[in-house]
Amino acid sequence: MQTNFSPAQLADPDVAESEKILRKCVHCGFCTATCPTYVTLGNELDSPRGRIYLIKDMLENGRPADKEIVTHIDRCLSCLACMTTCPSGVNYMHLVDHARAHIQETYKRPLLDRLTRATLAYVLPYPQRFRAALKLARLGKPFIGLFEKIPALKPLAAMLKLAPASIPAASPMALPGVHARQGTKKGRVAILTGCAQSVLDPAINDTTVSLLTRLGVEVVVPPGEGCCGALVHHMGREEAALASARQNVDVWTRSIEQGGLDAIVITASGCGTTIKDYGFMLRLDPAYADKAARVSALAKDITEYLASLELPEPVSKPGTVVAYHSACSMQHGQKITRQPKELLAKAGFIVREPREGHLCCGSAGTYNILQPEISARLRDRKAKNIEATGASIVATGNIGCITQIASAASMPVVHTIKLLDWAYGGPRPDGILDESLVAAE
Ligand code: SF4
Ligand code: SF4
């Protein structure tokens, strides 16, 4: 694509980066077919190609964002299916991240939208605040129907609907410390304790620590870890995202220097995509660029790390049919497609893949709160495709997808690590009842 940026504009390294990305796009439109918002809404401006044109126009003309571009960029899930499909290697992720930061700087949203976004940015990345907010949400649940009738309050209704009826107790496993390995040493890793996941389902990281230590891996929970920054990054709050990235880079750099790390293990693929991008996000900061690149290189999804170990034979082979839902941040963001399915199959599960596996379930960070209607359409489509597999359990590697799919599917939805842990001698995951355990014929 031809571009027309002035030398003065290209002096801004973010604009220069976006210009490089724009020049790679050849307008072929292959990406439209796999874009969930284009498939759902049928509007070119809600396709990757349409958004690329809008972003190009805004950046080239040095214009503040307007209502039209904000509407179409807000509807983008950042699922990155377009990047998997694009034959020209267009880095849509970095382009849309830049557009979102530009929107945040130059566009004044309506008051309620600003309030909603500020609340999400204030609450979600902080486990204590999030836990308190979930308790408060119980009081608001009776008003969901009322809030749904008022367009500006639909995000609040979506938030209340997603809030679980009960909140598990915080896990002591997430406290800073070192979890000793059993048996012969296979490795030493840090684990990201995370933010929302540690409140909604602390058993995911507990299970990960338990399985890794049984396999001979020492697991460090370094003091000072925080949210990876993905939630605010996707809202265009660049400074907040970079502050989170710097904090975690400092924490993990200390761990690397103090005892060495083979990997930084991440159990939420949404966080993994962002941490693997720290090297890019902090490339312009001379104090952090090298350290961030080192952290990104060490970041591994738990399934990616497990696949690098020599695993023993599973203790039990359940033979249960599992539908594997590949989170967008797993398959498109990190290009991890093989490992989770191979690990599940090796552990004795019969793995089935739902139709339209490339399409997002509609969770996408805060998308299911900020765009509840499109999100619900994608969720129902995903649930229907999952049901059609005939599986008894759904496995996936991202807490957002677990919450989203569980709100529509008729079978239990669990993190992949819980099924693997179970096969390797851990307890049966909560919520999996005997009737879920029908072995494949
Ligand atoms: S990130 Fe997803 S929703 Fe956004 S343009 Fe690409 S395919 Fe469409
Ligand atoms: S597939 Fe790639 S090159 Fe083709 S229009 Fe989409 S982003 Fe541009």
Side-chain angles (χ1 to χ4, degrees), residues 24-32 48-49 52 82 85-88 90:
K24 280 195 168 181
C25 177
V26 295
H27 327 248
C28 65
F30 287 168
C31 50
T32 55
R49 186 172 58 181
I52 287 170
C82 46
T85 316
C86 175
S88 305
V90 171

Side-chain angles (χ1 to χ4, degrees), residues 199-222:
V199 177
L200 292 169
D201 193 354
I204 293 173
N205 275 351
D206 288 0
T207 306
T208 304
V209 171
S210 171
L211 178 59
L212 286 174
T213 51
R214 293 203 312 277
L215 291 171
V217 179
E218 183 174 277
V219 182
V220 185
V221 180

Side-chain angles (χ1 to χ4, degrees), residues 34-37 47-48 51 76-82 92:
T34 57
C35 170
T37 54
S47 77
R51 292 183 178 115
C76 169
L77 297 129
S78 277
C79 70
L80 310 181
C82 46
Y92 178 84

Side-chain angles (χ1 to χ4, degrees), residues 64-139:
D66 58 23
K67 194 165 183 291
E68 184 189 38
I69 190 164
V70 171
T71 300
H72 298 293
I73 297 297
D74 280 357
R75 285 185 193 154
C76 169
L77 297 129
S78 277
C79 70
L80 310 181
C82 46
M83 284 180 63
T84 299
T85 316
C86 175
S88 305
V90 171
N91 193 322
Y92 178 84
M93 174 170 85
H94 290 158
L95 187 66
V96 82
D97 286 346
H98 182 198
R100 290 200 161 109
H102 187 80
I103 289 170
Q104 178 68 12
E105 269 171 34
T106 61
Y107 183 71
K108 190 165 183 189
R109 294 174 181 275
L111 180 65
L112 263 176
D113 193 10
R114 266 183 285 150
L115 271 176
T116 306
R117 285 166 185 270
T119 307
L120 291 171
Y122 180 77
V123 171
L124 286 181
Y126 304 94
Q128 283 181 344
R129 294 179 198 169
F130 185 41
R131 184 174 288 280
L134 288 179
K135 285 184 184 159
L136 208 61
R138 287 191 206 139
L139 303 175

